[in-house]
């Protein structure tokens, strides 16, 4: 059953529809954005997949008879035995659940997180195949329905209340949407403001997702699942700062730490919708609404500019170089200088209607 459209007239989505047609053609031919492949450290970049772990990367050994690693070895065996029981009983646990089975033994949550990632990498299987789930922090809203593993029917809405991202993305099925696009919003505050401004309804049919900053695994898995299922345009709305760009890159190309799961986590078709450094100049945002780049910001920006995927993103590079030259950054909230609802009323609708993404 189709959703009842309440958004703009059909012609509004002409440019979006053409963009989707080009994405579908790219998917059909199996092509990426441009021929690009490079290796760096333990990961290899492929434009059609993102950052992948290279087969001959450096490894480390953990021995049971070594004083330096005997404790780590014991903890790995402990968690492996718990994973075995979960799989045998066809039940699931979160990393937090595993930590609290013996918090004194593990010491802190990071120890458990690291070991589970190591086991996943060592066995070359996704973490969910170990029956270990991550606690979700992301939210989703808009024109989307699905059925969870336990049979619960979820109907996301365009209203002021969002739906929590499920903890078992692999288990959801029967996804239904007629959305024209998926918008990933970096920050929860911006996401909530867009809901309050009724952006979802005004731009319906659409889907909005936020990972509330650096995305958790489930939010990334959901974005990937939606892309694989519907191949609709996916856009990011992040602050015009190195941290926001880093978050966008995680969704699009993945991260070094999870490069062994790149195929199930990355969406290289993602486009940068805003906030672009060039938008700051174009819209004459006053300097007192901007923030100087810190030393840490400059180091982060330099690091991103050296990454292999920037070779096939000349427009991204140009925007980042503009930021580096100005030595200034801006949060999305800087647009409120123009009007309190400028983001939802003018900025995003114009970007979506006229193809203002890169």
């Amino acid at each position: 059953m189709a959703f009842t459209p309440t958004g703009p007239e059909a012609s509004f989505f002409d440019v979006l529809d053409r963009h989707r047609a080009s994405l579908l053609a790219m998917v059909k031919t199996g092509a990426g954005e441009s021929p690009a492949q490079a290796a760096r450290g333990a990961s290899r970049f492929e434009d059609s997949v993102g950052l992948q772990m290279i087969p001959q990367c450096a490894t480390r050994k953990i021995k049971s008879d070594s004083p330096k690693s005997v404790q780590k070895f014991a903890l790995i065996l402990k968690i492996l035995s718990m994973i075995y029981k979960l799989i045998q009983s066809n039940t699931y646990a979160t990393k937090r659940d595993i930590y609290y089975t013996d918090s004194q033994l593990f010491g802190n949550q990071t120890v458990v997180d690291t070991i589970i990632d190591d086991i996943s990498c060592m066995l070359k299987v996704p973490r969910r195949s170990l029956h270990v789930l991550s606690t979700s922090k992301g939210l989703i809203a808009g024109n989307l329905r699905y059925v969870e593993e336990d049979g619960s029917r979820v109907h996301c809405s365009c209203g002021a209340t969002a739906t929590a991202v499920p903890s078992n993305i692999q288990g959801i099925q029967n996804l239904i949407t007629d959305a024209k696009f998926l918008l990933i919003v970096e920050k929860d505050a911006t996401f909530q403001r867009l809901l309050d401004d009724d952006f979802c309804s005004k731009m319906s049919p659409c889907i909005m997702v936020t990972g509330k900053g650096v995305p958790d695994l489930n939010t990334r898995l959901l974005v990937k699942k939606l892309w694989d299922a519907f191949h609709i345009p996916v856009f990011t709305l992040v602050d015009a700062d190195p941290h926001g760009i880093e978050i966008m890159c995680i969704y699009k190309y993945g991260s070094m730490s999870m490069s062994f799961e790149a195929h199930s986590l990355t969406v290289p078709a993602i486009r940068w919708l805003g906030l672009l450094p060039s938008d700051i100049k174009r819209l004459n945002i006053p300097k007192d609404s901007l923030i100087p780049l810190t030393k840490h910001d400059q180091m982060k920006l330099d690091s991103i500019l050296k990454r292999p995927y920037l070779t096939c993103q000349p427009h991204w590079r140009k925007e980042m170089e503009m930021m580096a030259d100005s030595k200034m950054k801006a949060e999305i909230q800087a647009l409120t200088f123009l009007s309190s609802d400028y983001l939802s009323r003018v900025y995003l609708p114009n970007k979506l209607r006229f193809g203002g993404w890169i």
Side-chain angles (χ1 to χ4, degrees), residues 120 125-128 217 221 258-266:
S120 181
V125 296
R127 188 191 301 163
R128 57 198 171 279
L217 184 67
L221 285 168
M258 298 296 290
S259 58
F260 61 92
E261 277 203 67
H263 281 282
S264 60
L265 290 173
T266 61

Side-chain angles (χ1 to χ4, degrees), residues 125 218 244 267 276 305 311:
V125 296
N218 290 322
V267 183
L276 302 178
L305 283 166
T311 59

Side-chain angles (χ1 to χ4, degrees), residues 263-302:
H263 281 282
S264 60
L265 290 173
T266 61
V267 183
I270 284 174
R271 297 293 184 270
W272 187 0
L273 188 66
L275 181 64
L276 302 178
S278 58
D279 290 335
I280 298 168
K281 185 177 181 181
R282 177 175 59 85
L283 297 171
N284 294 314
I285 303 298
K287 196 168 184 178
D288 58 8
S289 296
L290 308 181
I291 306 166
L293 290 175
T294 64
K295 187 175 180 180
H296 178 74
D297 288 332
Q298 291 173 338
M299 290 172 63
K300 171 68 74 178
L301 192 57
D302 289 343

Side-chain angles (χ1 to χ4, degrees), residues 19 23 182-184 223 227 232-236 267 269-271:
H19 177 50
L23 291 174
L182 166 60
L183 179 65
I184 300 169
V223 170
W227 163 251
I232 55 174
V234 184
F235 303 110
T236 55
V267 183
I270 284 174
R271 297 293 184 270

